[in-house]
Amino acid sequence: MLRILLIFRLMHGIQLAVTVPGIAGHLAYRGRALLLLSAVVAESLWFVGHIARNHRRVIAYDTERREGAGGRPDPQDTPQDTPHATPPTTYDGLAAGVELCSAVAFLWACALVLGPHRSQDMAPLLVLTTEQISAAGIGSALGQPRRVLIAATCAIAASYAAVIALGDGGPQALAHSDVLIGLTGYGALAYLIRRGAKFLLQLAADLGDMSLQLHEQEQRKLLAIELHNHLGHTLNAFQRIDASDPEQIDSLRKSAVVARERLATFIGTGRFSESVPLIGMVHRQVALATNDTLTVEPIVTERVVGAAARVLPSQVELLEAALRAALINVPRSAGVHDAVLHVDLVEDADGAGLVELVVTDEGVGFPPEVLARGVGAMRSLALHDRLLRERGGTLRVRSVAGFTQVTLTLPIQRDSTTEPSQGGVG
């Protein structure tokens, strides 16, 4: 709304600058006209400065209301809990009073400044009054009393009619089409601007609610992934632990430490882990797999090394969660403690680049009845399959007795300067 108010005033300034030179040659009193023009400029400068100051007060008030003593948002805080008696507004009563009173004063000043062509020469100030009524309409939508808008619109329309009637044309001039359009336009403008502003405010509120709902859905997805890949996995490990095996106890202790650190990171930053590049993520998951007594041999091709910077942080996070889910299934479900992770950059049918992560083990494999129903039937991978598909990626599973392969793909940004090269690094 602040931008709309200032855009209206800028539009008035431009139209004033364009039209004033054209009527300057036949003004009756140029000295008085100059004073009136100076008053208009002064009022506009005051209005812009006042709106800007109020906007800063609103931002400061909202920040103070949201933040508690520890600098964190306090959702229970209310306006009554703050030192301000009433919340500040961008368009307050003072702005409305000055704008609307000046509109009436400027119209009446035309009777002292303009000559016989008054109805035409008033055009620049009529533009100003329409902008002032527009601002009052927005202010009414923002909480200013509606009676202020109604009274001001009537006063401006009456002043315009009186100034025209007092001119050389007399009361008969009120019957001219341009005058009638101006008189009826004031009321229509006030109504339409107020309704339009209310619609925009409601639309902004609805979009804010939608954004909040989407954010909550994303947070639930993150929590679901975290519960399965880390907390849930660590708790399940307690059920299978052999208390007489020191290695299992040590592995479980490390997993519990990782889970606690991830929770602490989430509480402090809203993220479960530090964002790292693609290759750093791969090595982090390889190291994390050792807590599950799983040895992973990573094979990262030079194609990936050259294109890793094109993989966005959000894409790395998505791949990391899916890779983690695939790796924890190896010792838990496949019954083996060795796997190979192959990371490569491939192309789809359209020539677009895809990051490809392939986890291969020689375990017992998935049951045939589960494979027949697809990845959606695999509780540990179904969510990651859906999330990857939403971003244009895939999650594929090939499995027979003694061989299982889980393949993750995700599109990356195109880069015509990157030339794939062969080779790999372990």
Side-chain angles (χ1 to χ4, degrees), residues 82-127:
T82 66
H84 297 280
T86 56
T89 57
T90 300
Y91 189 86
D92 57 4
L94 179 59
V98 171
E99 276 229 294
L100 299 174
C101 290
S102 65
V104 174
F106 292 155
L107 286 175
W108 280 100
C110 291
L112 302 175
V113 173
L114 301 179
H117 304 285
R118 183 178 300 166
S119 59
Q120 291 82 19
D121 294 345
M122 287 175 63
L125 283 176
L126 293 182
V127 173

Side-chain angles (χ1 to χ4, degrees), residues 23 31 42 49 69 86 124 131 160 165 173 187 192 207 213 224 252 284 292 302 318 321 329 334 346 360 376 410 416:
I23 65 175
T86 56
E131 182 274 328
Y160 172 58
L192 292 175
L207 290 176
Q213 292 174 5
L252 184 58
R284 179 163 66 186
D292 302 318
E302 292 182 7
L318 189 61
N329 273 326
V346 299
T360 306
L410 194 63
S416 58

Side-chain angles (χ1 to χ4, degrees), residues 217-225 383 386-387 390:
Q217 291 178 5
E218 290 298 321
Q219 290 298 105
R220 284 196 293 269
K221 291 177 183 178
L222 289 175
L223 288 172
I225 291 172
L383 175 60
R386 178 162 58 85
L387 293 176
E390 289 176 357

